[in-house]
Amino acid sequence: MPAGLGTSYSSLSEDVYKSTTTSAAPDKFNVLDSMKKAFQQNFKGGSSILNSIGGGPGARARHSNSLDTVSLHADEPTPIIIGRDSRRMPSSAEETALLGTMPSDSMDDIELKNIQLQFPTARTLSRDDTNTTEEQVMTEKGSILVAIQGDRRKPAIMSFHDIGLNYIANFQAFFNYIDMRALLENFCVYHVNAPGQEEGAPALPEDYIYPTMDELADMLNIVMAHYNLKSVIGFGVGAGANILARFALNYPNKVECMCLINCASTQAGWIEWGYQKMNLRNLRAKGMTEGVRDYLMWHHFGKGTDERNHDLVEVYKQYFERHVQPVNLALFIDSYIRRSDLSISRETDPGKKNDNTLRMSVMNITGAFSPHIDDTVTLNGRLDPTNSTWMKIQDCGMVLEEQPGKVCEAFRLFLQGQGYAVALGRKLSSASVEGLYTIGKGKMAKTCRQATTSVSLDGIDSAVANIHITENPISEAAVC
């Protein structure tokens, strides 16, 4: 073993292999010592050895070709026999396996000449997804970028991103997650980007009046009309979740259900307003400064991000510095901190119908390390408890990046609760249904992976009845 931490390595053959490696000299070979003991116990003289081998005095001549040395002198107590082929290389796999179990007559040091490292695929934020099509949609406030992912004949999911991000930075990794890809075989996602927030966007004109949060919500109605969408499933994060909530309040019949992550339902507080005002000044005067970047990292990941996922942090830091247009981001942040209260409340009387809150089913998600936990709790207290679910996922702040598997599983179960029976590739429940079943008021339709055909009521009932969720597969998650 090495003498110490500050010394050089010593030869392995001198220390490590001293007890098991012997010299090629006959008097030190362990196997020959064993043979010597066996000969001493069974034979008295050298002639008896030859007689036992060859059967007579002529054995020396007959066996001279197969033996290198046969010592029969009287002063030597026992003969030492060394085979001529003892140093021959093994000729088959069986001989190699047998010889590998026997001690060799010598062992050399092994010299390390080359090391080849293999790294996992690096997380990138780039527009290299061939399954996504980008289109510009004209609105009263200018054109906005809409990225379409999936078959447009399938039910629509509409997403909206948070501040400092766009559809690539906020949703690309999540919707390309292996389990989410299987889910998207039955849906089409429309990623809506706020004006000027897409990657490579030029700076907006100085006289451009950025739309308010309510106006951004109305732009979603224009997008739906452009693509002839009757209803959508909302999926928003942060500022995008607030915009989708406003759209659902204004157009409740056009939203089937929503998944809201880190959604705020109140006005901006004084602390948020003060920090964001400083960020606005820096973005307009100096661009993306270190202070603005650190605030965005805290906004998305919370505290202690470097200790949890250093590589992911570096990816987003570089993204904020290189791919964000600071002037456009300042306009979006200014619109977000000027947001009004959603003015929703929970009806305490269960006998009365509450029209002052979100009528559709809502899944309200946050991370255990997210700085927006209190906002999601406030929103949960203002929603109808019969059609809303609050979930806090452990060990993450940015849930879509740090815990995509748990969010995907929660979203799948949420869609099943809305009448979508989606079969995934891996086994998640005791039974599954092949295809997607959409249950409506007047009809029931089966949307398969190849075509869309009508089926009978009995077929739908029997298929849906085969779905049995035996346990909640979302481990380490708090659900209310």
Side-chain angles (χ1 to χ4, degrees):
M1 295 297 291
L5 294 175
T7 61
S8 60
Y9 290 98
S10 60
S11 175
L12 294 176
S13 60
E14 295 178 5
D15 298 324
V16 178
Y17 301 106
K18 186 174 182 180
S19 60
T20 59
T21 306
T22 59
S23 175
D27 56 343
K28 294 184 180 181
F29 199 82
N30 295 334
V31 177
L32 298 181
D33 292 341
S34 302
M35 293 175 60
K36 183 189 295 184
K37 294 179 181 180
F39 280 118
Q40 287 177 350
Q41 295 176 1
N42 296 288
F43 303 101
K44 296 293 182 64
S47 60
S48 61
I49 297 174
L50 290 179
N51 291 332
S52 63
I53 297 175
R60 183 189 301 270
R62 290 195 302 268
H63 295 278
S64 60
N65 294 331
S66 62
L67 301 177
D68 287 340
T69 305
V70 179
S71 178
L72 298 175
H73 297 286
D75 54 349
E76 296 183 6
T78 56
I80 299 175
I81 304 174
I82 303 177
R84 177 175 297 174
D85 296 334
S86 62
R87 297 177 182 272
R88 180 174 57 85
M89 294 297 293
S91 60
S92 64
E94 292 79 2
E95 294 182 17
T96 303
L98 292 174
L99 293 177
T101 61
M102 301 296 292
S104 60
D105 57 348
S106 64
M107 183 175 292
D108 298 331
D109 295 344
I110 299 175
E111 180 181 358
L112 182 63
K113 296 182 178 181
N114 185 24
I115 297 178
Q116 184 177 2
L117 300 179
Q118 294 182 353
F119 296 96
T121 304
R123 172 71 170 91
T124 59
L125 302 175
S126 59
R127 308 168 74 172
D128 56 356
D129 189 0
T130 58
N131 298 323
T132 303
T133 304
E134 295 182 355
E135 298 179 1
Q136 293 288 337
V137 178
M138 292 301 301
T139 65
E140 297 178 355
K141 293 293 184 178
S143 64
I144 58 175
L145 178 68
V146 178
I148 305 172
Q149 182 178 2
D151 189 351
R152 302 190 186 189
R153 297 171 297 179
K154 303 297 179 64
I157 298 176
M158 181 171 289
S159 71
F160 211 112
H161 58 86
D162 200 357
I163 59 173
L165 305 175
N166 50 43
Y167 87 92
I168 296 176
N170 213 156
F171 301 114
Q172 183 186 64
F174 175 72
F175 283 97
N176 285 328
Y177 188 68
I178 180 171
D179 293 340
M180 201 62 191
R181 275 186 174 275
L183 187 68
L184 289 182
E185 292 181 0
N186 302 306
F187 294 93
C188 180
V189 185
Y190 295 82
H191 301 288
V192 181
N193 292 263
Q197 306 305 311
E198 64 270 14
E199 186 174 337
L204 295 172
E206 295 182 359
D207 58 348
Y208 179 78
I209 300 176
Y210 206 85
T212 63
M213 299 295 285
D214 290 323
E215 291 174 342
L216 288 172
D218 291 335
M219 294 171 68
L220 299 181
N221 190 34
I222 300 177
V223 174
M224 291 186 61
H226 180 81
Y227 293 105
N228 296 320
L229 302 177
K230 302 301 181 182
S231 61
V232 295
I233 300 171
F235 196 99
V237 180
N242 185 276
I243 293 172
L244 284 172
R246 295 175 186 274
F247 176 73
L249 289 172
N250 297 332
Y251 306 95
N253 296 328
K254 293 186 177 183
V255 180
E256 297 183 11
C257 56
M258 289 194 301
C259 176
L260 305 179
I261 301 175
N262 295 335
C263 180
S265 61
T266 59
Q267 294 179 332
W270 285 106
I271 297 178
E272 180 187 1
W273 185 87
Y275 273 107
Q276 293 286 33
K277 278 296 182 180
M278 294 178 59
N279 294 334
L280 292 177
R281 181 181 304 175
N282 291 329
L283 286 171
R284 289 167 177 166
K286 303 177 182 179
M288 182 61 66
T289 62
E290 184 178 357
V292 178
R293 185 198 65 186
D294 292 342
Y295 181 87
L296 291 175
M297 294 299 300
W298 171 84
H299 176 84
H300 295 295
F301 290 95
K303 296 182 179 180
T305 308
D306 292 332
E307 301 175 357
R308 300 198 312 269
N309 199 330
H310 178 75
D311 295 338
L312 184 63
V313 169
E314 291 300 320
V315 169
Y316 273 89
K317 284 183 178 179
Q318 294 179 8
Y319 176 81
F320 291 140
E321 294 174 353
R322 301 176 183 178
H323 301 284
V324 174
Q325 221 297 326
V327 176
N328 299 351
L329 176 59
L331 294 173
F332 188 26
I333 292 178
D334 184 64
S335 178
Y336 180 58
I337 62 175
R338 295 177 183 272
R339 66 184 182 270
S340 61
D341 193 283
L342 292 181
S343 300
I344 58 176
S345 60
R346 173 182 295 183
E347 180 59 55
T348 56
D349 188 358
K352 295 182 179 180
K353 183 179 179 180
N354 187 10
D355 295 332
N356 199 27
T357 187
L358 296 174
R359 304 176 187 176
M360 67 290 303
S361 298
V362 178
M363 183 169 63
N364 186 17
I365 300 179
T366 188
F369 301 142
S370 174
H372 310 290
I373 296 179
D374 293 340
D375 292 332
T376 60
V377 172
T378 302
L379 174 63
N380 183 68
R382 306 172 79 176
L383 297 176
D384 187 352
T386 61
N387 61 4
S388 62
T389 301
W390 180 78
M391 177 181 298
K392 181 174 72 173
I393 300 179
Q394 299 297 323
D395 302 328
C396 66
M398 194 174 185
V399 294
L400 296 184
E401 288 286 350
E402 299 182 82
Q403 296 291 351
K406 294 180 181 179
V407 179
C408 178
E409 180 66 6
F411 190 53
R412 185 189 70 87
L413 295 176
F414 178 66
L415 293 178
Q416 284 186 346
Q418 305 309 310
Y420 297 95
V422 184
L424 296 185
R426 64 189 182 97
K427 187 177 181 180
L428 298 177
S429 58
S430 60
S432 61
V433 179
E434 189 67 21
L436 167 69
Y437 296 90
T438 305
I439 303 176
K441 294 182 179 180
K443 67 174 183 178
M444 297 185 178
K446 175 183 177 182
T447 306
C448 298
R449 296 175 181 174
Q450 292 82 9
T452 303
T453 56
S454 299
V455 296
S456 63
L457 179 63
D458 296 337
I460 290 294
D461 291 339
S462 61
V464 175
N466 290 329
I467 302 177
H468 304 287
I469 305 300
T470 57
E471 60 180 354
N472 184 8
I474 312 170
S475 59
E476 301 179 1
V479 182
C480 296

